Amino acid sequence: MTQTADPSSGSETVYADMWFDPACPWAWITSRWLLEVERVRPVRVRWHVMSLSVLNEGRDLPEDYRKSLDGAWAAVRVCVAAEQRLGPEVLGSLYTALGTRFHNGAEPRTADTIRAALADAGLPEDLAEAAEGTGYDEALRASHAEAMKLVGEDVGTPVVRVEDVAFFGPVVTPVPRGEEAGKLWDGVRLVAGTDGFFELKRTRTRNPVFD
C-alpha cells in the first residue's frame, strides 16, 4: 500500500488493495465495508480480481460447491476482460453492479445477469462474450497468483493489502457503516503494522447479511 499527499484534506491518502471474486458473499461484504471506509477515512481502494475456481482447482470438494465454482468462471473472466480493454478503474463499478445483482438481488450468475450488470456499470455489453471463452484466463490467473503470492495458498477471498501487509479478510457481517467502519479500519491498520502478526479467527455463527 502506498500513500500520497491529499492537499484538500491536509492528510495522506492511503491506497488499499482488495482482490475479489464476484461470486463470494463474504468478499462482497468486505468490499462494501471498504467503500464505507473511503467515506470516513482518507482511503482509496484499488480493485483486483482473484478466482475461487482457480484457487480450488484439483481439490476434493462437495459436489454442490464444485458446481458453484464451475459457474463462477464467467463473472471473473468478464471482469478481467473489462480491465484489459478499459483499464483497472472500471473494476469498482463493475464489481458493484455484479455484486448488487448476485448478492443483494439474489439473481442467478447467468449471462443475462452479467449483461445487465455491464449495462448498470455503463460498460459495453459485448464484454459478456468473455464469459464462455478462455482468452482472458492467463491474465486472470496472473491476477489471482499475485494475491496468493502475498498471503499463501491456504486462504480464499477477500484478500486485502494494508501497510504493505496482505491478509485474508476481514470477514464480517453485516457491513459496518460510518464511524464503525472507520474503527474497524483503524484496527486492521494497527494489526497489519505489528511485526509478525498473522491471524485472529473464530468460528462464524451467522450467514452473510446484505443490506
Side-chain angles (χ1 to χ4, degrees), residues 18-34:
M18 176 176 165
W19 282 258
F20 66 90
D21 184 323
C24 179
W26 296 104
W28 174 244
I29 294 173
T30 300
S31 73
R32 301 309 92 180
W33 161 67
L34 282 172

Side-chain angles (χ1 to χ4, degrees), residues 172-210:
V172 60
T173 195
V175 181
R177 301 290 183 182
E179 185 56 24
E180 290 304 308
K183 289 178 181 178
L184 177 56
W185 169 257
D186 296 340
V188 167
R189 289 195 71 187
L190 177 63
V191 297
T194 301
D195 181 49
F197 176 83
F198 290 102
E199 185 173 9
L200 281 172
K201 189 171 183 178
R202 61 176 177 163
T203 301
R204 293 195 295 266
T205 58
R206 64 177 78 170
N207 293 323
V209 176
F210 310 120

Side-chain angles (χ1 to χ4, degrees), residues 66-97:
R66 172 58 59 195
K67 289 180 179 178
S68 176
L69 292 176
D70 289 344
W73 284 97
V76 288
R77 284 169 170 164
V78 171
C79 285
V80 172
E83 180 184 23
Q84 294 281 300
R85 187 193 298 185
L86 301 169
E89 62 274 7
V90 305
L91 280 178
S93 61
L94 179 54
Y95 182 27
T96 290

Side-chain angles (χ1 to χ4, degrees), residues 2 78 100 107 116 145 148 185 193:
T2 59
V78 171
T100 298
E107 296 182 34
M148 295 297 96
W185 169 257

Side-chain angles (χ1 to χ4, degrees), residues 161-172:
R161 181 166 58 192
V162 180
E163 302 289 13
D164 296 321
V165 174
F167 52 85
F168 165 61
V171 175
V172 60

